[in-house]
Amino acid sequence: AQSVTQLDSQVPVFEEAPVELRCNYSSSVSVYLFWYVQYPNQGLQLLLKYLSGSTLVESINGFEAEFNKSQTSFHLRKPSVHISDTAEYFCAVNGGSQGNLIFGKGTKLSVKP
Amino acid sequence: DTEVTQTPKHLVMGMTNKKSLKCEQHMGHRAMYWYKQKAKKPPELMFVYSYEKLSINESVPSRFSPECPNSSLLNLHLHALQPEDSALYLCASSQDIRREYNEQFFGPGTRLTVL
């Protein structure tokens, strides 16, 4: 069965600093990967996804993630974070025959002024 | 319209009450999901509906009863809940579970408190 590991439960950073949130997945023949963001007291929003093609995917708010098949990773990066990026970030993979997502445990990103 | 809506946003209920959570999408999606999310945890899958038929029930207690009256609506009927059922309940939808990849769109959730 597919699984997802988010290595850091909390990542505190200062505003305008770079950040990397790590995600590793269990290997599979075909894999589709997602990063979701959850702001306090809200639902999940899709941040970006890897389906096929270019291994570097970008979101509209400056985040990017790189699919690395050899390292089975899909780390999320941003070169300069804002206070408004404070949120919980979940990495997920298409896991089952029923199309359900398998989520990592989440990483809480706290951006401090 | 890429939105999934959920009502109510907040719900407080006693252990003897009966209430329902509602979810709606108008993206033409044929798969809909209920997730339960406890604080500081990832969402846990409860139910999956595919073409209005229950596809997955992740061993959820019978005090939770899902219903999919049509392709746009998904309900979760609640009865005799326990305080430990207090959580954020998220609805999601996707095009079709038979697709090779399955991007899910989430609603804002219903914050449920059981007294």
Side-chain angles (χ1 to χ4, degrees), chain B residues 4-7 20-25 30-35 45-56 65-77 90-94 105 110:
Chain B
V4 176
T5 58
Q6 289 187 244
T7 55
S20 296
L21 309 185
K22 297 185 183 303
C23 174
E24 190 166 4
Q25 57 88 14
R30 302 313 298 270
M32 296 186 77
Y33 310 77
W34 280 115
Y35 289 86
L45 183 67
M46 299 174 73
F47 303 103
V48 180
Y49 271 84
S50 176
Y51 288 80
E52 295 93 73
K53 287 186 169 45
L54 186 63
S55 179
I56 289 181
S65 175
E67 178 197 20
C68 191
N70 60 55
S71 60
S72 300
L73 293 173
L74 185 67
N75 299 321
L76 186 62
H77 303 297
L90 294 164
C91 174
S93 71
S94 67
F105 293 79
T110 293

Side-chain angles (χ1 to χ4, degrees), chain A residues 1-31:
Chain A
Q2 290 275 23
S3 66
V4 175
T5 303
Q6 290 184 247
L7 296 167
D8 307 297
S9 60
Q10 295 188 61
V11 173
V13 294
F14 288 106
E15 195 173 18
E16 298 183 6
V19 71
E20 178 180 81
L21 307 184
R22 297 180 290 171
C23 172
N24 288 89
Y25 63 92
S26 59
S27 181
S28 180
V29 175
S30 58
V31 62

